[in-house]
Amino acid sequence: MNVEKIWDVEKILRDEKAGSVLLVCGNSFRGQKLYEELKGCVEASGVRLTEFSDFTPNPAYESVEKGIEAFREQGCDFIIAAGGGSAMDVAKCIKLFWNLNQKENYLQQKILENEVPLLAIPTTAGTGSEATRFAVIYYKGNKQSVAHGSGLPKYVYLDPSLLETLPEYQKKATMLDALCHALESYWSVNSTEESRRYAGEAIREVFRHRDAYLSNDPEGNQGMLRAANRAGCAINITQTTAGHAMCYKLTTLYGLAHGHAAALCVEALWPYMADHIKDCTDPRGETYLKEMFQALAEEMGCKDVTEAVKKYQSFWKELKLMVPVLEKEDQMDLLTRSVNPDRLKNNPVRLTEKTLETLYRQILKTD
């Protein structure tokens, strides 16, 4: 993955011998100055440009089908994705599915390696999708996770000007998503020296640039884009853990942004894990787990885990985001049963259904 400057697009298209580009973007991207610059670069290269925006947040399988149809009809051989996670997910799935049998369900077919280049331009600093091989789409209302090495963008462009018009809540929520990606990747049972290096860089960048980012300073925006990108590089290796596994139903029940919900879960999960090292599931053992939590604390500039947790909690509280309240007791059962067991396998401390209920009650301030 190469992080490129926009004025290199013409060279990229020449180097890739591109003849027809599919631009997958949300409608909001068309209001950005970069949109016109990008079109100018493509046109100057003598390359045909087709735009595709027929998708919504939580994109449907049918939208991907329409995107593949446009890709094929226009003879595209290069994809540009500009937007948030939804644009990235649609673009990745178009790239991964375009060469499969269109008469069969793409989700049921084996993905084949393909060399169609993908240039990703994130318009938020949070998902890190431009740095991962993962995508999410919805088939008949059900979430479907797609993962393949060919889905990883070959080129990435990080432009701080794209963050200037984001609403304050979205800026806060996406920043929290980046931070939670980094924290969860750091303690994942799948972590490696490389993933922890990426995660550590992301954590330091988030804390370093938070204030400037929230003030819409260009340097702060650039720093937060780097943080999200590095966190994406980390979860591309490790995937996320219980914090993300627990957050999805919170988003739908209470109308929270993804990063907002993830941060609530991590606030309860982190101190619980630090206090239950004996329930370690990481094959590297309890000693490793203790040393890892200590190293994570030091990444945050803290002397120990207790201080690191307090620093995180202060960071969260200073953002003054809403904490939902349990409305009906039957929602608790819905929450605990919604957690994907596969995601829990990545968590370094064992979590039972009873533990999940305890954590959710803590999150929702019912105790």
Side-chain angles (χ1 to χ4, degrees):
M1 179 182 64
N2 302 306
V3 178
E4 299 287 342
K5 298 178 180 179
I6 197 63
W7 50 84
D8 289 332
V9 169
E10 292 180 51
K11 180 178 183 301
I12 292 171
L13 294 176
R14 287 196 303 271
D15 290 347
E16 296 290 351
K17 297 180 173 57
S20 182
V21 170
L22 181 70
L23 171 60
V24 181
C25 66
N27 290 322
S28 61
F29 180 68
R30 294 194 176 95
Q32 299 283 354
K33 179 181 177 182
L34 183 63
Y35 169 70
E36 296 297 336
E37 292 181 7
L38 184 61
K39 285 203 334 180
C41 287
V42 175
E43 291 168 2
S45 302
V47 175
R48 183 168 63 251
L49 179 66
T50 301
E51 297 183 28
F52 180 75
S53 300
D54 191 3
F55 59 90
T56 61
N58 301 320
Y61 174 85
E62 291 76 14
S63 293
V64 173
E65 286 185 308
K66 292 176 183 177
I68 292 172
E69 184 177 348
F71 182 92
R72 286 173 167 161
E73 286 183 351
Q74 298 301 319
C76 296
D77 51 14
F78 194 102
I79 302 174
I80 300 176
S86 296
M88 299 290 173
D89 288 343
V90 171
K92 288 178 182 179
C93 287
I94 292 172
K95 170 176 165 53
L96 292 173
F97 298 161
W98 79 271
N99 58 345
L100 302 183
N101 186 342
Q102 62 188 110
K103 295 181 180 180
E104 298 180 10
N105 188 316
Y106 294 124
L107 294 168
Q108 296 176 355
Q109 298 182 55
K110 181 180 179 180
I111 296 174
L112 305 174
E113 293 280 348
N114 75 75
E115 300 299 323
V116 174
L118 172 58
L119 164 62
I121 306 174
T123 56
T124 65
T127 68
S129 183
E130 77 281 358
T132 77
R133 66 189 187 279
F134 308 119
V136 171
I137 56 173
Y138 286 77
Y139 181 71
K140 295 183 178 181
N142 296 315
K143 176 183 171 185
Q144 304 291 321
S145 296
V146 180
H148 193 272
S150 287
L152 184 67
K154 186 173 183 178
Y155 304 98
V156 173
Y157 176 60
L158 305 179
D159 184 347
S161 72
L162 296 174
L163 308 186
E164 292 174 358
T165 57
L166 290 178
E168 181 182 37
Y169 175 65
Q170 190 176 5
K171 291 199 79 168
K172 290 179 178 180
T174 50
M175 172 179 65
L176 288 169
D177 195 20
L179 179 57
C180 290
H181 280 163
L183 292 171
E184 291 186 48
S185 178
Y186 203 97
W187 63 52
S188 170
V189 300
N190 301 319
S191 68
T192 65
E193 184 177 341
E194 180 183 14
S195 70
R196 288 192 297 274
R197 185 176 71 251
Y198 284 134
E201 290 176 10
I203 291 166
R204 293 192 297 274
E205 292 275 16
V206 169
F207 280 94
R208 181 183 302 122
H209 295 287
R210 176 192 60 174
D211 293 340
Y213 164 74
L214 293 176
S215 299
N216 232 350
D217 178 83
E219 185 176 344
N221 286 342
Q222 187 70 46
M224 201 58 67
L225 281 167
R226 285 197 304 270
N229 180 267
R230 286 297 178 254
C233 290
I235 63 169
N236 187 53
I237 296 172
T238 65
Q239 299 183 278
T240 52
T241 65
H244 270 66
M246 294 174 64
C247 82
Y248 292 107
K249 186 56 69 173
L250 286 175
T251 64
T252 55
L253 277 180
Y254 300 103
L256 306 180
H258 174 70
H260 182 174
L264 281 166
C265 294
V266 167
E267 184 188 24
L269 177 66
W270 191 354
Y272 175 86
M273 293 195 300
D275 289 339
H276 292 79
I277 299 291
K278 60 181 177 58
D279 295 325
C280 173
T281 62
D282 193 307
R284 290 167 288 195
E286 292 182 30
T287 299
Y288 164 79
L289 194 57
K290 290 178 183 177
E291 292 174 349
M292 179 278 297
F293 277 129
Q294 178 60 35
L296 176 55
E298 292 171 4
E299 293 282 8
M300 294 180 63
C302 300
K303 64 180 181 181
D304 55 32
V305 179
T306 300
E307 185 177 312
V309 169
K310 288 181 179 178
K311 183 173 181 177
Y312 173 84
Q313 291 171 336
S314 295
F315 181 94
W316 154 254
K317 289 175 182 176
E318 288 170 6
L319 295 178
K320 298 180 180 179
L321 295 178
M322 179 268 285
V323 177
V325 176
L326 186 69
E327 297 169 352
K328 299 177 182 178
E329 189 59 32
D330 61 358
Q331 289 181 344
M332 184 55 63
D333 184 62
L334 182 62
L335 285 166
T336 56
R337 293 183 183 277
S338 71
V339 179
N340 185 339
D342 288 336
R343 290 288 184 91
L344 294 183
K345 292 177 182 177
N346 300 334
N347 208 64
V349 172
R350 185 176 300 103
L351 301 177
T352 65
E353 190 171 309
K354 183 63 177 176
T355 302
L356 290 173
E357 179 180 340
T358 300
L359 292 172
Y360 275 126
R361 289 190 182 281
Q362 183 180 340
I363 291 165
L364 299 174
K365 309 303 181 187
T366 61
D367 291 339

